[in-house]
Amino acid sequence: MTPYLLILCNCPDDSSAQRITECLLSQQLVACINRLPDIRSSYRWQGQIEHSVEIQLQLKAPAVNFTAIEQAILAIHPYTVPEIIALPLTRLHAPYGQWINEVTLGDH
């Protein structure tokens, strides 16, 4: 079975989250994106402690698409250093994995 990833990416607003979502789905790089609103983030940036409300994108994709996904996000994302974190999915319902393959890799 193809290795899969859960990729997390936080966005500053709905507009940027929507642009990234449409881009990745239209290029068939990801099978599904969940958008979680009102993620409260606290972090250090340029020597200051910052607090913001963000939208988290949870992307499901085959691992072979990671580099293309990363490049697509970097081309659109408004942050200088966007969060792009990939977590390997070590266990997955087989039919769900097959669906991911079908919509992203064209496997039938």
Side-chain angles (χ1 to χ4, degrees), residues 27-52:
Q27 292 184 42
Q28 294 179 278
L29 294 173
V30 301
C32 176
I33 298 177
N34 300 111
R35 294 166 60 170
L36 304 175
D38 298 332
I39 301 295
R40 306 226 180 255
S41 299
S42 298
Y43 50 92
R44 291 194 61 87
W45 180 248
Q46 299 179 340
Q48 302 293 318
I49 295 176
E50 302 285 340
H51 305 280
S52 61

Side-chain angles (χ1 to χ4, degrees), residues 50-63:
E50 302 285 340
H51 305 280
S52 61
V53 177
E54 298 177 298
I55 295 171
Q56 183 178 76
L57 300 179
Q58 297 180 346
L59 322 170
K60 275 72 84 182

Side-chain angles (χ1 to χ4, degrees), residues 5-10 57 59 66 73 82-87:
L5 298 173
L6 172 65
I7 303 168
L8 306 176
C9 178
N10 285 4
L57 300 179
L59 322 170
F66 179 77
I73 291 171
E83 174 184 71
I84 305 170
I85 299 173
L87 306 169

